[in-house]
Amino acid sequence: MKKLLLATAAGALLAGAAGAEEIKLGVSLGFTGPLESMAPGMQSGAELAMKEVSDSGLLLDGSTVTSVTGDSTCIDAAAATATVERLITAENVKGIVGGMCSGETIASLENVAKPNGIVMISPSATSPALSTIEDDGLFFRTSPSDARQGEVMANIIMERGIDTVAVTYTNNDYGKGLADSFQAAFEEKGGTVTVNSAHDDGKADYSAEVAALSAAGGDALVVAGYVDQGGSGIVRAALDTGAFDTFVFPDGMVGQALEDNFGTEIEGSFGQNPAAEGEGRETYLSMAEEAGFDGSGAFSAEAYDAAALMLLAMAKAGSSDPATYKGSIMDVANEPGEKIMPGDLAKALEIINGGGDVDYVGATAVEMVGEGESAGVYREIQFTDGKIEVVGYR
């Protein structure tokens, strides 16, 4: 009888091992380009969720999860498409955390991910165009649409007693989408946009652009750009010429590089970026610190949530096949179910494996709306003594 029990146990172990996979997830981010300073923290966030799930041994009969990275460059659609194609066809990833910037995300989705039936969850692509794109149910994002950010930014500016602004935006889907949504919201509240003009990245001199912005006037300059590229170039030229001394910074500008580049030169300037408050965020920050990276960087928490959602959806669907698990992402992201915080992924897998439901809250208070995007919580920041200070949440 003892031998029979041992044989049965051994058979069960072998069956479990046979069902285990090495699941690869792609991480397509702009490791070079206008937001390269943000990419390492985002990669670390996604990989922290993957490690947490792998270490649990509870995903699909003990499957492990590994990361395969690719450089989307953030702004080169052809390079991003080639990167995602490699991740899918050569590396055989089962899903992609990415893209990072809106234009390259749209290109990668339409040209590669959608034709190959691969799920993409972007932590940071915010163009309103992605809300209605034909995606065959394959695209999601843990960041909110810039339609929402435009409204939040308009409210913050008006509440600070500023009713006249100039706007400059990086000349792509992200910049134009945000600038247009902001202008509509600001003017609806009675504000005046004196000029709404594009700037190109990669230039050595932005004095001509700043001269035109200065001629139009405004009590502040809204810079819907990239902190590692033209956005900072615009700010530098404006400061050097005295054109503006108060700046408004949306998400593409809010990062450590902004503080490092300008410090006290932009004292009193302000802005906003997606970041929830509360238990989930605090837990994530502690987990990141223990893992050896700064989890407070822009979109790092969103990247953790993107990877976590993908893996929990696989568990819910009982399959790593994107065609199967794509239908479970909204299920694990929203009610009903037990609320799941960062660090609770093993607990979530136990619940799912037992036939229960989970409501993933995660590091950014995830609540998926529409076709699969974050409803959106923003932190309001301002520069105080040369440092980014969080002054509230919206």
Side-chain angles (χ1 to χ4, degrees), residues 21-28 46 50 65-70 83-84 86-89 91-99 113 116-122 138-140 306-307 309-311 313-314 319-323 325-326 329:
E21 305 172 57
E22 182 188 351
I23 298 171
K24 294 181 181 180
L25 289 188
V27 178
S28 177
M50 296 181 208
V65 188
T66 57
S67 167
V68 185
T69 60
T83 289
V84 172
R86 173 182 64 82
L87 293 175
I88 293 172
T89 60
E91 300 291 351
N92 298 312
V93 299
K94 299 294 188 179
I96 292 173
V97 176
N116 286 278
I118 297 295
V119 167
M120 293 177 67
I121 303 184
S122 173
L138 294 165
F139 179 75
F140 304 83
L309 283 172
M310 208 175 291
L311 297 171
M314 290 180 188
S319 172
S320 64
D321 180 358
Y325 80 75
K326 69 179 184 179
I329 291 173

Side-chain angles (χ1 to χ4, degrees), residues 9 14 49 77 150 158 163-164 183 207 210 216 238-239 263 266 276 280 286 291 294 303 310 313 346 358 369 387 393:
L14 287 171
M158 294 293 282
D163 58 10
T164 305
Q183 181 170 357
S207 57
V210 167
L239 289 170
I266 52 175
S286 297
D294 180 8
M310 208 175 291
V358 298
V369 297
K387 301 292 184 182
Y393 290 85

Side-chain angles (χ1 to χ4, degrees), residues 126-191:
T126 54
S127 169
L130 283 161
S131 297
T132 55
I133 195 168
E134 291 293 330
D135 62 2
D136 292 345
L138 294 165
F139 179 75
F140 304 83
R141 51 182 170 177
T142 48
S143 55
S145 166
D146 280 332
R148 161 90 172 125
Q149 183 172 193
E151 294 176 4
V152 170
M153 184 158 57
N155 287 335
I156 290 172
I157 293 171
M158 294 293 282
E159 288 171 17
R160 286 174 177 254
I162 297 172
D163 58 10
T164 305
V165 299
V167 177
T168 180
Y169 62 88
T170 184
N171 193 15
N172 61 19
D173 295 275
Y174 159 70
K176 181 166 176 49
L178 176 55
D180 288 349
S181 68
F182 163 72
Q183 181 170 357
F186 193 60
E187 290 179 344
E188 185 178 341
K189 297 175 188 301

